Amino acid sequence: MAPVDPHSFSDPTQGTISHIEFRLEPDLAARRVRFQALYTLDRPVRGSLFLDARGLDIAAVEAEGAPAQWSIDREDPILGQRLHLRELQDVRRFSIDLMTSPDAAALQWLDPAQTAGGIHPFLYSQCQSCSARTLFPCQDTPGVRFTYEAELLTPDPLVAVMAAARVGQSRQGANTIYRFHMPQPIPSYLFAFAIGNLVFQSIGPRTGVYAEPEIVNQAAWEFAENEDKLRAAEGLFGPYLWDRYDLLIMPPAFPYGGMENPRLTFLNSAYVQGDRSGTWLVAHELAHAWTGNLVTNATWNDFWLNEGPTTYAESRITEVVEGVETAELGTAGRARRLLRAIERLGADSPMTCLKLSLAGKDPEESYSDVPYNKGLLFFRALEQAAGRPRFDAFLRDYIAALRFRSINSEQFLAFLEERLPDAARATDARRWIYEPGLVEGAADVPSSLRDEVFAVVEEYRHGHLPTAERVAGWTHVQQGVFLGLLLPSIPASDCAYFESLFGLRDTRDGDLFSRFCELAFRSSYRDVLPAYEAFFATVGRYAFHEPVFRALAGEAWSRPLARPLLERWRHRHHALTVAAIERILTQAGL
Ligand code: BES
Ligand code: ZN
């Protein structure tokens, strides 16, 4: 039985949705999508069925072909609405016909100006964590999985894609109907589609990219190594069970770097940087195909079970394709970021536990580095305690035994204690999962590439600005680690020096630029403000902007500038990005 999910009204003991046949008809002018959904249940349901919904305009509900009794009988600011289907008589199939609301949280409607081509609009969905219910009623919990079929009516000349297999297309007037089939069962948060001026380019036997024609060649070059990453990941974690691994290159307004939609990772075009330095993100989203998409967190309280093992898996893939030193530099950098996050949240804050208790809270509000990087260090500690060969075998068993299942932290711990009792004991696994803060020494990650950076920071602290020769050959990650080590602030004139030393003003690396802006604003280096505004005006990944806005809101000179900056570009951003920045400004009293 699926554990109770505090973010869903559904009750899987009533029966679960096992398959859905969708028809989607987007109205780009009205910013609504008509959803017709025919649901199949895993068993005949008698009596009530509770589904999650939010803001849907429901026209009809039928059960076994006859009108059904239904009502919206509960509402909650976090959970949305409960759609209650009543007096069902052994129902296996029911259908719902509805329109989404223009402000459905799962949808972002982009103007042509926000795309690479500038001519056609772009529409996409982002359901994680709790937004699938703004598209169609469902048991919107990662504990329930279903397969689906879908038809997407798409106005010419736009093209539809889904995180599913494309099985055909036909013409209907000035539209194309794209047909999809999703044979692998997914939780609702992995339902995804997009519509835009898209073309496909193949990379390898199982890999390719969908992108706007203006950037597809660039993207295919940038991600040419995806097939190698896929093979490396299979070598580590077992067979890839999702058939294809394609990328959809998203307009830069996308509020994340990447989203692991099955078979079709959505990847922010800000990571197409012209030199493959942003492709580490693919290792992360690809790793989710095992950790997250095969073995899924049962509730958002167990979010670390998606992101922690994935961040660990990402470092293992990086190790195979780029070498151990690059992987260790990444892990060392993440350990440091974790320490900073724990410092900010407070070492005894419950937000620094792996297991969260988010009942009554929006999961997005508690998003932090902790599930990612504390989870990474936990898995690393387990690897060290068990020894790599045993830990690798454990990981493969874990995935094979629990694939297409959803588990909570307690089930993970039980599995670990059964299979690797010595490592569970040696690491004090319970403490990792349930206690706040970090075990002493856990963030000490040896890294020779990081040590090179430490040496230069030391010299700088003793009054020596590094010369170009001294930092020649540094990767973007080393440059970023360097800037991070200079926080909270340095003289503004030194900011100008590092800006030209690393070519930061026109870097295409958003992680690096964001890191620099944080340091620059903390250091009252104002000259970079126009460049940051141009970046903020187009790139939506909120992880880029959170630390920068925290800096702007935290310094006397820039405090008055922070809110006007958000207001100038609010309309360009996803509601999630706006909400994340709003939280920072409100907390700062702005
Ligand atoms: N699944 C996450 C994105 C996400 C998290 C969406 C929570 C909604 C709620 C994705 O795999 C992810 O972690 N993306 C990161 C990149 C990662 C390398 C740190 C991102 O986009 O910042
Ligand atoms: Zn992730």
Side-chain angles (χ1 to χ4, degrees):
M1 196 192 86
V4 177
D5 181 346
H7 293 103
S8 173
F9 281 122
S10 68
D11 176 359
T13 63
Q14 295 169 333
T16 59
I17 295 166
S18 57
H19 186 75
I20 309 180
E21 287 159 60
F22 290 106
R23 187 184 160 87
L24 275 64
E25 236 178 89
D27 180 339
L28 292 156
R31 300 201 157 184
R32 290 175 185 275
V33 183
R34 181 175 179 194
F35 267 77
Q36 290 164 284
L38 173 60
Y39 301 77
T40 304
L41 292 157
D42 70 332
R43 69 195 96 142
V45 172
R46 184 175 290 212
S48 290
L49 184 69
F50 302 151
L51 300 175
D52 295 296
R54 187 192 277 270
L56 302 173
D57 193 350
I58 295 175
V61 182
E62 291 187 352
E64 303 292 357
Q69 288 197 42
W70 62 274
S71 64
I72 301 284
D73 64 353
R74 284 178 66 182
E75 301 221 18
D76 176 275
I78 307 287
L79 275 65
Q81 297 163 318
R82 183 169 83 171
L83 171 61
H84 185 163
L85 310 191
R86 338 171 158 268
E87 293 179 35
L88 301 173
Q89 313 286 336
D90 291 322
V91 166
R92 282 298 296 265
R93 280 154 79 86
F94 64 96
S95 65
I96 303 182
D97 186 355
L98 65 93
M99 294 292 265
T100 59
S101 147
D103 46 47
L107 298 176
Q108 191 177 13
W109 307 80
L110 296 173
D111 293 327
Q114 291 176 277
T115 65
I119 295 171
H120 301 285
F122 194 101
L123 164 66
Y124 73 90
S125 67
Q126 163 64 41
C127 288
Q128 194 181 7
S129 303
C130 300
S131 297
R133 68 195 70 177
T134 71
L135 297 181
F136 57 95
C138 55
Q139 294 167 313
D140 198 5
T141 166
V144 171
R145 310 175 90 89
F146 57 88
T147 53
Y148 70 83
E149 238 98 26
E151 291 185 355
L152 235 152
L153 189 83
T154 309
D156 288 344
L158 303 183
V159 170
V161 293
M162 287 194 87
R166 201 170 172 169
V167 291
Q169 65 191 69
S170 55
R171 302 281 311 157
Q172 183 182 306
N175 300 287
T176 302
I177 300 174
Y178 292 92
R179 292 197 174 74
F180 302 90
H181 172 51
M182 186 57 189
Q184 292 93 3
I186 55 150
S188 53
Y189 80 92
L190 293 176
F191 173 90
F193 72 93
I195 290 177
N197 185 30
L198 295 170
V199 292
F200 176 75
Q201 194 162 312
S202 174
I203 294 171
R206 287 177 295 174
T207 50
V209 284
Y210 289 92
E212 291 184 67
E214 291 79 5
I215 53 172
V216 73
N217 287 329
Q218 217 184 321
W221 179 84
E222 198 88 15
F223 301 108
E225 289 155 0
N226 281 6
E227 194 78 31
D228 301 339
K229 288 202 170 85
L230 178 52
R231 275 194 297 266
E234 283 189 299
L236 290 163
F237 315 122
Y240 181 74
L241 298 180
W242 305 89
D243 307 325
R244 288 199 57 85
Y245 183 72
D246 294 319
L247 297 182
L248 172 64
I249 307 302
M250 301 296 283
F254 187 51
Y256 294 98
M259 174 66 209
E260 68 273 25
N261 294 315
R263 309 173 73 114
L264 183 67
T265 282
F266 285 20
L267 200 102
N268 196 315
S269 61
Y271 281 84
V272 184
Q273 295 167 7
D275 60 1
R276 297 187 180 162
S277 62
T279 59
W280 60 273
L281 207 126
V282 170
H284 179 93
E285 305 309 338
L286 172 63
H288 272 304
W290 289 265
T291 45
N293 297 4
L294 278 186
V295 186
T296 306
N297 54 205
T299 78
W300 300 116
N301 288 339
D302 309 293
F303 180 57
W304 77 273
L305 275 176
N306 273 15
E307 298 300 342
T310 296
T311 307
Y312 172 80
E314 171 201 333
S315 80
R316 295 294 305 273
I317 296 170
T318 302
E319 186 180 318
V320 175
V321 296
E322 289 179 61
V324 66
E325 269 157 23
T326 303
E328 289 298 82
L329 175 66
T331 302
R334 284 177 167 286
R336 205 183 153 76
R337 293 239 317 267
L338 175 65
L339 291 177
R340 291 233 314 273
I342 292 177
E343 210 176 282
R344 184 170 58 76
L345 297 166
D348 49 6
S349 159
M351 279 182 65
T352 66
C353 300
L354 286 177
K355 173 91 182 188
L356 300 170
S357 59
L358 300 178
K361 292 189 194 130
D362 176 351
E364 264 60 63
E365 278 189 35
S366 309
Y367 185 85
S368 84
D369 266 22
V370 171
Y372 291 79
N373 296 340
K374 186 174 174 181
L376 161 69
L377 294 182
F378 177 33
F379 265 50
R380 211 182 131 84
L382 288 171
E383 181 202 316
Q384 278 167 355
R388 184 170 271 197
R390 279 180 72 219
F391 189 64
D392 284 2
F394 163 82
L395 268 186
R396 279 191 293 268
D397 285 354
Y398 167 69
I399 290 157
L402 299 169
R403 66 191 201 190
F404 298 113
R405 302 248 315 261
S406 303
I407 63 162
N408 59 22
S409 304
E410 293 64 44
Q411 290 164 304
F412 173 80
L413 190 61
F415 191 87
L416 178 72
E417 284 174 339
E418 186 199 312
R419 305 289 173 112
L420 287 179
D422 53 326
R425 226 175 302 115
T427 56
D428 201 351
R430 261 169 212 281
R431 176 167 172 206
W432 273 96
I433 296 171
Y434 297 108
E435 300 288 321
L438 198 59
V439 180
E440 195 72 52
D444 302 339
V445 177
S447 158
S448 57
L449 295 173
R450 188 263 334 264
D451 290 347
E452 288 175 22
V453 176
F454 273 166
V456 176
V457 171
E458 255 330 276
E459 290 159 22
Y460 171 67
R461 297 265 178 238
H462 287 89
H464 306 289
L465 282 170
T467 61
E469 295 78 65
R470 186 74 181 94
V471 299
W474 274 17
T475 62
H476 293 194
V477 179
Q478 282 178 298
Q479 295 174 353
V481 168
F482 179 76
L483 297 173
L485 287 165
L486 304 185
L487 284 168
S489 69
I490 57 174
S493 57
D494 289 355
C495 286
Y497 179 80
F498 293 127
E499 182 178 28
S500 79
L501 182 70
F502 298 134
L504 296 171
R505 193 164 305 191
D506 8 69
T507 179
R508 290 173 67 183
D509 185 327
D511 286 291
L512 185 59
F513 188 63
S514 150
R515 192 72 61 88
F516 177 61
C517 290
E518 181 185 5
L519 175 67
F521 297 150
R522 292 270 181 212
S523 307
S524 309
Y525 178 58
R526 299 156 196 241
D527 294 24
V528 75
L529 202 52
Y532 176 68
E533 177 151 5
F535 178 66
F536 182 58
T538 49
V539 180
R541 182 185 182 229
Y542 74 75
F544 287 154
H545 301 300
E546 265 184 336
V548 181
F549 267 85
R550 241 182 240 122
L552 286 170
E555 302 300 323
W557 74 271
S558 53
R559 266 180 76 79
L561 308 176
R563 179 161 288 283
L565 183 61
L566 172 63
E567 297 311 331
R568 281 198 291 282
W569 303 109
R570 170 189 288 272
H571 62 286
R572 292 262 182 100
H573 286 295
H574 194 285
L576 280 165
T577 299
V578 172
I581 297 172
E582 276 289 358
R583 278 195 295 275
I584 290 164
L585 298 185
T586 315
Q587 242 175 40
L590 289 168

